[in-house]
Amino acid sequence: MTEEEQQNTAAAQHSPTKPPVAKRIPHARTFHGDTFEDPYEWMRDKASPDVREYVAAQNRYCDARMAGLAGLRSTLFDELKSRIQETDMSVPTRMDGYWYFSRTVEGRQYGIQCRMPIRADDDWDPPAVDAAAEPGTMPGEQVIFDANREAEGHDFFRLGGMDLSRDGRWMLYGVDVRGDERYDFRIRDLETGEDLPEVLAGIGGACFTPDGRWVFYAVLDDAWRPYAIRRHRVGTPVSEDVEVYREADERFWVGVGLSFDERSIVIGTGSKTTTEVWMLPVSDPEGEFAVFIPRADDIEYDVSFACFEGAGERGEDVPLAVVYHNANNPNFEIDVIDMRSHTPPYRLGEGTRVAVGSPYGCEHGDMVEPGASAQPVGAGYVNACNPTILQGAHGLAIEGIAIHRHFVALSYRTDGLPHVAVMTKRQAAADFLAGRPWEFRELTPPALEDDWDADLAADAAETATSMSEDDAAGPHPHHGAADSDRGGVSDEVAGDVATGAPAMVTTWDGAADDLLPGETRRLYAIGTGGNPSYDAPRMRYSFSSYTRPGELHEIDPATGEDRLLKRAIVLGDFDPRDYMERRVWITARDGEQIPVSLAWRRDIPVSSSAMFITGYGAYEISSDPGFSVARLSMLDRGVLYAVPHIRGGGEMGRAWYEQGRRLNKKHSFEDFVDATVALQEAGLADPRRTVANGGSAGGLLMGAVANLAPSRFAGVEADVPFVDALTSILDPSLPLTVTEWDEWGDPLHDADVYRYMKSYTPYENAPDMADDGSAAGSGDGAGDDGSVAGAAVWTRDSSGRLVFPKMFVTTSMNDTRVLYVEPLKWVARLQAAGVDAVIKIEVEAGHGGTSGRYKQWEEVSYENAWCLSVMNIMH
């Protein structure tokens, strides 16, 4: 550094009203004949005094910049807190001889785990528990774990797992007090409340055998990869533990647990695209694990065991192996094997197929059906072995099956949303033995009384319209908007069609037709949950939407009787009928149809609104509808909440994931930009008041879209963002690097992957301060419409300021998934280019941020205050 630079740096370090000036130390990263100059790589040395001081300076600057929002933060926190029932409890769940439940108490940061003994073997009705009572004071109630007491003396606390012996005496539990996701597991005697002396320190996870005599646990390597399984005999020194499995392939993680029937100890090992299962009978814990089916590249499978009780010709049980895999279908299938006539070894694809996903749009779809790979992802799929409810489904992906003593539940995805279907065990046995498709019935959440989502006449009209159009999910011309030249966009929201902006289909009020016969218009996420017991006579399921708080139900599959067990309480004058939510479909630049979820306050017109738009789009993780109390404060202030379900996620099945990973990754960024443009061009959102948000891999998304279309966003919030992805994935010694090659590609050994990643990674492509004082970039740049140009060319407004969104970034020093250095370097580069960028750095936290519910409420209020201020909403 020159003397002048050193003086400027020193001055900035002591001036919290200006961003600290990071020193620039030459550092070259050279791969495949390409050299990237990285002057901020020195920040990787976490122990360096210079790094610690720079982190402190950035936090001081953040405090100074955010000081003016203290009032708004306080208002948002108070609103959030006033809507939450702070003293509350979960619905008791039966496991073996006890009913287990969790309590929260006003003023306490963490939950309290409690239990009560069952009243009899046939006791399947949850006990009546006073939610307002002090934990442990109800007759028969026992506090088994109070996280508030356990967290004393720690700035950070997270429970990393809990397991119990079948008799309920022994509890295995793990805690993390650093945020680095290395858990210390201990064994507690629940009769005395005392812990045994042995500690399984710094491990990834653990499970008991049912008798509580043995613990099997996962060991982490230096790269934070669970790579081996060890066996521990309770009551003996940890030094005597035995390694029972080691995974040599660095792409694979291992885990261990019990099978659902508790007859087997199961080791699962897998990469992003390949899995393998090893099993050992619980009756022989010191035996040798055996592989169920040997691994094969790009094949994922899982196995469970069940039986049809008394269904044999002579009244004998019919033992079953239930195999879930993608060996023959990229969107998975479920095979059920009759084990009476078949013994190991098994192969994938044998048995009776119960459900099969759609191969349309998948890379290997042609192996299932000629021409399937070229079919639209959302084309209706028909397969003779599928249940009736799956025939013609759009974007069909099979997600799993659960077989209990009295019922069978099927989980799947279609039309971009999760679904659950159920049937009685008796009917499943009859269908299986007769060789016919299983007759599942789909679960549909009950509508609210007098709610706008229960308009059966409108459903019927929309159904008639949709049935007259083609059979693909997504935009259909309807209700007088059938002009194909305009992509089915109605007059009210057509926008400037001449610009070639992505098309969007909406109804007159800005809400999408779902075009799904017989379904409500709310965008529900539904799933089975709270069913740990094989013998339970009824099935629990839960659901929620963007605007409807979560509900837990219990249904009797034999009679159809549906009972509400609990509805999440929102205090105050909240009424879900005051809010709207709908699905729109936009046409991306390559012609693919992208679902976008919207939510807004019903009595505030959606027109040039402030918009909070958030996305993820990686690892085949779906961004499904869910309720947020904090979100209400935004909706009540007239903010339009939007979620583009971009490729790279799993909303429309495996093809959706494949089209947004590796050398297709740019689709994720383009989909998000195109959705933003479509909503803005339709007149629903104002670019000057649009804030984008994403975290982790969604933080990479944020960096990419800020580079691609800077004029489309007034602000961008990037939480623990994976923005220096190329640098990280080039270094196999860093945590999690090798396992990520299946997701992003291997730039270390493949020059094409290197070049592709370098063309989009946010850090390399962000604006930087060139020697002549102008902002320059090192990779692909952006036009105002979000189109990718050649070299980066950044524009300036009339006052000479760089056209780039305001940036708010979060990170944690103990994060092991996205190292703090990535967002720290990125912000340094942005600030040097004149971008208004602020970073908040948690010193005692990990990838998930702070712990404790009040701290988390403060954090979300802090972040939302910044977002609202960028939208020019200060009340």
Side-chain angles (χ1 to χ4, degrees), residues 224-417:
W224 258 256
R225 178 179 70 101
Y227 77 100
I229 302 298
R230 291 180 185 167
R231 181 182 64 232
H232 171 74
R233 183 164 191 156
V234 176
T236 65
V238 175
S239 59
E240 297 178 4
D241 292 355
V242 176
E243 184 174 286
V244 297
Y245 181 86
R246 178 181 288 250
E247 178 55 68
D249 192 325
E250 294 183 12
R251 298 174 302 158
F252 283 65
W253 285 24
V254 298
V256 64
L258 287 183
S259 60
F260 181 62
D261 59 8
E262 295 191 347
R263 295 180 182 179
S264 301
I265 304 158
V266 180
I267 294 175
T269 180
S271 69
K272 294 290 191 298
T273 60
T274 305
T275 61
E276 186 177 60
V277 174
W278 292 69
M279 309 184 76
L280 175 69
V282 163
S283 59
D284 184 23
E286 295 183 274
E288 296 291 328
F289 281 84
V291 66
F292 181 73
I293 297 174
R295 74 183 64 173
D297 286 345
D298 296 325
I299 300 299
E300 300 170 62
Y301 79 89
D302 198 4
V303 61
S304 60
F305 296 93
C307 73
F308 289 133
E309 291 83 3
E313 294 178 357
R314 294 178 296 278
E316 76 277 14
D317 292 348
V318 178
L320 308 170
V322 184
V323 186
Y324 170 78
H325 68 92
N326 67 345
N328 302 321
N329 189 301
N331 260 322
F332 291 85
E333 68 181 58
I334 295 171
D335 299 331
V336 177
I337 302 171
D338 185 340
M339 297 178 67
R340 292 176 299 175
S341 58
H342 197 106
T343 57
Y346 299 107
R347 60 179 177 80
L348 297 176
E350 61 183 315
T352 299
R353 287 191 296 174
V354 173
V356 184
S358 167
Y360 293 159
C362 295
E363 293 173 0
H364 302 298
D366 290 348
M367 296 174 58
V368 182
E369 178 183 309
S373 296
Q375 287 277 0
V377 176
Y381 181 63
V382 175
N383 189 298
C385 78
N386 272 340
T388 301
I389 60 169
L390 299 186
Q391 301 298 341
H394 309 127
L396 175 63
I398 305 302
E399 297 204 320
I401 193 169
I403 299 180
H404 293 247
R405 180 177 293 277
H406 299 286
F407 60 86
V408 180
L410 175 69
S411 299
Y412 60 100
R413 301 191 68 86
T414 182
D415 297 292
L417 293 168

Side-chain angles (χ1 to χ4, degrees), residues 86 90 196 373 463 482 515 538 632 700 760 776 869:
E86 296 181 63
S90 65
L196 297 184
S373 296
T463 299
L515 305 172
R538 299 177 294 274
L632 296 178
L700 184 153
Y760 70 71
S869 71

Side-chain angles (χ1 to χ4, degrees), residues 696-720:
S696 194
L700 184 153
L701 169 71
M702 291 300 101
V705 302
N707 290 341
L708 282 173
S711 66
R712 290 292 175 174
F713 306 98
V716 170
E717 179 191 341
D719 297 316
V720 291

Side-chain angles (χ1 to χ4, degrees), residues 508-581:
W508 66 272
D509 60 355
D513 275 334
D514 288 324
L515 305 172
L516 302 178
E519 292 207 344
T520 60
R521 295 184 194 80
R522 288 195 187 269
L523 304 175
Y524 293 103
I526 187 170
T528 59
N531 297 291
S533 175
Y534 177 78
D535 295 314
R538 299 177 294 274
M539 186 188 81
R540 291 184 178 184
Y541 72 95
S542 59
F543 69 90
S544 67
S545 78
Y546 291 113
T547 63
R548 185 168 169 183
E551 295 183 9
L552 178 65
H553 286 246
E554 189 173 68
I555 188 169
D556 184 336
T559 65
E561 180 185 0
D562 190 306
R563 181 166 58 138
L564 173 66
L565 297 181
K566 185 177 179 65
R567 177 181 293 121
I569 299 171
V570 181
L571 300 178
D573 59 355
F574 169 77
D575 186 339
R577 300 168 184 81
D578 292 338
Y579 302 88
M580 295 284 285
E581 56 189 334

